[in-house]
């Protein structure tokens, strides 16, 4: 990867993506030796995280390096009013690269302007989550291939940062992207603008039913309770955009179902035992993919 | 073409504009009608700097129908300073005046980026926080876009003036 910072999936070329995925495959099958015994990864998570944070920690340690963790926001200097710009400049002196999750969009980009070590965006509000996208692409490549692909992305497309990053990255491939959501949670105009600029085939739907038979991959995202004014409206939408075994009757036999997790009610656990379920494999892929990324950046 | 620093500014003789000539400074002519105050806001001219400022608004214009005109005494605005005006006044012309004569005349050119002029309308953008960073927007064919959060602003630029 030629970039010092990993800020959005928009910066990824097809060649850069393939280089990361190839290296991830080498780490996954044990044909590439870990190195970077002296590398220290700084973890700055201003929002909760399980998979992203733990898989970065695992990746750094499996490479032979280590992590230092800012810890919870309420036990850091952030509670004293320290700016993000100051925080990253301080931790720059402790670590070889920074992994940043922050509630504000553009935070990773701003942070990158204040430090000279790589900044990796681990989620900036409703903006981007580019390393999730790399592991998503790795999972798609393993299960369906990245070209001649019909993918459906369903759920909260407005605030879902994994959706935005994946949509950008897939413009590098021969992919038709179907977006399925209630109108209130449709793709933001900024993302749609970029997809149109890229000339990628895009279709937006409010129902899964008619597009499902065409899909090779169905990427489901969680609809968040806090996006709705009342519990009843949330429940109605959440059930409409959830899937169970009955939903899949019309799906291709090799449909791959993905989810960035955590899930709540949107995928019935009965699907877990079917060959369609790839979401736990997807979460596990976070380690080799982040190993590959760190290996290239450090 | 008439002299934008004279009293008689490409209007019918019956509708002469009575804005006094300036000795030294900048005349911004052919500003889209009604945008003169926005122009001043973008340029950060609010009178507190002591410079004499004259404004004509919705003045009849042969070419534009109606136009605004802004004269700023004692300050020669650079091309970079005025190019951002192209977003609200794409037809504006800039006249640099010395000793009552227009010594330089040019059009505003659409910049590729504007820094510190607009504030991002996205309340969740990092530039709206207490951080040491100026707003930055890239200029598109049909609007501007926040360089940090990607938010598109396609119209009503004036409502977003006030970058930090």
């Amino acid at each position: 990867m030629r970039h010092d910072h990993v800020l959005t999936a928009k910066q990824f070329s097809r060649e850069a993506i393939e280089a990361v995925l190839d290296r991830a495959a080498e780490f996954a099958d044990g044909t590439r030796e870990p190195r970077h015994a002296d590398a220290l990864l700084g973890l700055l998570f201003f929002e909760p995280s399980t998979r992203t944070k733990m898989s970065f920690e695992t990746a750094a340690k499996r490479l032979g390096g280590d992590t230092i963790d800012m810890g919870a926001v309420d036990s850091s200097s952030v509670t004293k009013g320290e700016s993000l710009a100051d925080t990253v400049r301080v931790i720059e002196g402790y670590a070889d690269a920074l992994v940043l999750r922050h509630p504000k969009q553009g935070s990773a980009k701003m942070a990158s302007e204040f430090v000279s070590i790589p900044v990796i965006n681990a989620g900036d509000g409703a903006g981007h989550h580019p390393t999730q996208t790399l592991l998503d692409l790795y999972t798609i490549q393993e299960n369906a291939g990245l070209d001649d692909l019909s993918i459906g992305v369903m759920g909260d497309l407005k605030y879902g940062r994994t959706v935005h990053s994946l949509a950008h990255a897939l413009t590098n491939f021969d992919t038709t992207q179907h977006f399925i959501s209630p109108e209130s949670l449709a793709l933001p105009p900024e993302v749609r603008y970029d997809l149109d600029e890229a000339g990628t085939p895009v279709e937006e739907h409010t129902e899964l039913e008619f597009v499902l038979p065409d899909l090779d991959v169905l990427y489901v995202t969680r609809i968040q309770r806090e996006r709705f004014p009342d519990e009843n409206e949330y429940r109605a939408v959440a059930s409409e955009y959830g899937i169970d075994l009955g939903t899949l009757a019309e799906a291709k036999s090799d449909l791959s179902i993905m989810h960035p997790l955590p899930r709540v009610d949107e995928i019935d656990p009965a699907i877990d035992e079917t060959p369609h379920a790839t979401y736990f494999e997807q979460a596990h892929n976070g380690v080799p993919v982040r190993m590959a990324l760190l290996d290239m950046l450090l | 073409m008439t002299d934008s620093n004279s009293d008689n500014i490409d209007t019918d003789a019956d509708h002469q504009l009575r804005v006094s000539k300036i000795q030294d400074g900048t005349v911004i002519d052919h500003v889209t009608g009604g945008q003169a105050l926005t122009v001043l806001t973008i340029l950060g001219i609010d009178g507190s700097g002591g410079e004499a400022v004259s404004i004509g608004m919705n003045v009849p214009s042969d070419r534009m129908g109606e136009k605004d005109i802004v004269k700023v005494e004692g300050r020669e605005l650079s091309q970079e300073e005025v190019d951002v005006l192209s977003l609200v006044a794409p037809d504006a012309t800039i006249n640099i005046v010395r000793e009552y004569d227009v010594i330089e005349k040019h059009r505003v050119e659409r910049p590729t980026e504007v820094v510190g002029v607009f504030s991002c309308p996205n309340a969740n953008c990092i530039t709206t926080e207490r951080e040491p960073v100026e707003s930055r927007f890239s200029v598109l064919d049909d609007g501007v876009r926040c360089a940090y959060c990607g938010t598109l602003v396609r119209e009503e630029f004036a409502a977003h003036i006030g970058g930090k």
Side-chain angles (χ1 to χ4, degrees):
Chain A
M1 180 150 298
R2 292 195 300 275
H3 305 285
D4 287 335
H5 304 293
V6 181
L7 304 177
T8 83
K10 279 196 277 186
Q11 74 187 73
F12 296 157
S13 65
R14 180 177 181 127
E15 292 71 26
I17 291 167
E18 289 174 342
V20 174
L21 302 193
D22 288 350
R23 193 170 298 204
E26 292 171 3
F27 280 122
D29 65 20
T31 55
R32 179 176 281 268
E33 286 296 314
R35 53 189 183 97
H36 304 298
D38 58 347
L40 263 182
L41 191 62
L43 303 176
L44 291 80
F45 281 72
F46 291 75
E47 282 186 326
S49 170
T50 303
R51 279 152 300 281
T52 303
K53 187 173 176 181
M54 289 187 73
S55 67
F56 264 115
E57 285 184 295
T58 308
K61 289 175 179 173
R62 287 206 186 282
L63 282 172
D66 209 340
T67 60
I68 53 168
D69 187 350
M70 181 184 80
V73 168
D74 57 10
S75 63
S76 74
S77 286
V78 175
T79 56
K80 300 173 186 171
E82 186 174 57
S83 67
L84 176 62
D86 279 1
T87 302
V88 296
R89 277 182 286 191
V90 169
I91 299 179
E92 177 186 24
Y94 307 155
D96 300 301
L98 300 178
V99 179
L100 174 66
R101 172 169 290 185
H102 194 277
K104 293 293 176 177
Q105 288 171 247
S107 50
K109 177 175 172 52
M110 189 206 74
S112 74
E113 295 171 354
F114 286 89
V115 298
S116 54
I117 59 174
V119 172
I120 301 169
N121 182 5
D124 61 337
H128 304 275
H129 195 350
T131 67
Q132 173 73 38
T133 290
L134 290 170
L135 72 91
D136 291 344
L137 295 174
Y138 185 87
T139 309
I140 294 170
Q141 185 179 55
E142 284 197 319
N143 289 287
L146 285 165
D147 285 309
D148 192 22
L149 176 77
S150 179
I151 184 172
V153 183
M154 183 169 80
D156 183 352
L157 313 182
K158 184 175 183 180
Y159 299 102
R161 56 194 172 201
T162 66
V163 171
H164 307 159
S165 286
L166 182 60
H168 284 126
L170 284 173
T171 62
N172 289 289
F173 300 91
D174 176 18
T175 303
T176 300
Q177 301 192 45
H178 297 271
F179 294 98
I180 307 120
S181 74
E183 286 179 7
S184 62
L185 296 176
L187 215 55
E190 288 77 17
V191 177
R192 184 63 205 249
Y193 177 91
D194 288 329
L195 297 183
D196 291 343
E197 284 282 296
T200 203
V202 172
E203 292 184 28
E204 296 190 64
H205 315 266
T206 54
E207 293 177 19
L208 174 64
E209 184 183 355
F210 300 108
V211 69
L212 180 63
D214 297 330
L215 300 181
D216 303 303
V217 173
L218 176 60
Y219 190 102
V220 183
T221 65
R222 181 169 55 99
I223 291 180
Q224 297 174 58
R225 166 70 188 84
E226 59 269 29
R227 306 298 181 202
F228 292 86
D230 69 67
E231 184 73 18
N232 288 340
E233 191 179 341
Y234 160 69
R235 291 214 166 276
V237 171
S239 65
E240 190 180 349
Y241 293 91
I243 58 170
D244 56 23
L245 289 175
T247 315
L248 299 180
E250 300 298 320
K252 287 183 181 175
S253 60
D254 59 352
L255 171 72
S256 175
I257 298 174
M258 299 174 64
H259 193 302
L261 303 180
R263 68 172 156 179
V264 182
D265 298 319
E266 55 276 6
I267 298 178
D268 189 310
I271 291 176
D272 298 357
E273 303 309 318
T274 72
H276 297 298
T278 51
Y279 27 91
F280 292 113
E281 170 194 338
Q282 181 186 356
H284 298 159
N285 287 338
V287 174
V289 168
R290 290 184 169 113
M291 285 175 75
L293 189 67
L294 294 174
D295 192 45
M296 294 166 123
L297 289 172
L298 292 171
Chain B
M1 185 175 288
T2 55
D3 180 353
S4 295
N5 195 31
S6 72
D7 285 352
N8 199 356
I9 304 167
D10 71 347
T11 63
D12 298 335
D14 292 344
H15 299 91
Q16 288 185 354
L17 173 67
R18 297 296 174 188
V19 179
S20 58
K21 293 179 79 169
I22 61 174
Q23 182 174 356
D24 296 291
T26 305
V27 177
I28 306 167
D29 197 5
H30 303 110
V31 172
T32 309
Q35 293 292 336
L37 295 178
T38 303
V39 162
L40 286 175
T41 305
I42 289 177
L43 295 174
I45 296 171
D46 61 4
S48 62
E51 62 271 78
V53 178
S54 309
I55 300 173
M57 294 184 78
N58 297 318
V59 175
S61 162
D62 292 341
R63 179 148 62 93
M64 301 175 66
E66 285 182 339
K67 68 172 184 177
D68 288 3
I69 184 166
V70 176
K71 298 186 178 190
V72 184
E73 182 80 62
R75 184 168 158 189
E76 291 187 7
L77 297 167
S78 68
Q79 182 80 38
E80 192 178 41
E81 281 180 287
V82 297
D83 277 350
V84 66
L85 302 181
S86 66
L87 296 172
V88 296
D91 299 316
T93 51
I94 309 302
N95 303 272
I96 304 298
V97 178
R98 287 183 197 156
E99 289 300 322
Y100 300 103
D101 289 329
V102 174
I103 57 113
E104 201 177 301
K105 192 179 189 85
H106 48 89
R107 289 187 168 278
V108 292
E109 293 172 11
R110 209 166 171 82
T112 57
E113 188 175 69
V114 290
V115 178
V117 175
F118 301 113
S119 59
C120 185
N122 176 7
N124 287 314
C125 177
I126 191 70
T127 61
T128 66
E129 291 292 292
R130 195 185 53 78
E131 296 286 346
V133 63
E134 282 192 298
S135 70
R136 193 188 313 157
F137 285 79
S138 55
V139 178
L140 313 173
D141 289 342
D142 58 348
V144 297
R145 186 168 198 179
C146 176
Y148 290 91
C149 73
T151 292
L152 288 166
V153 181
R154 287 202 165 97
E155 52 194 18
E156 298 291 333
F157 295 115
H160 306 299
I161 294 169
K164 59 176 191 174

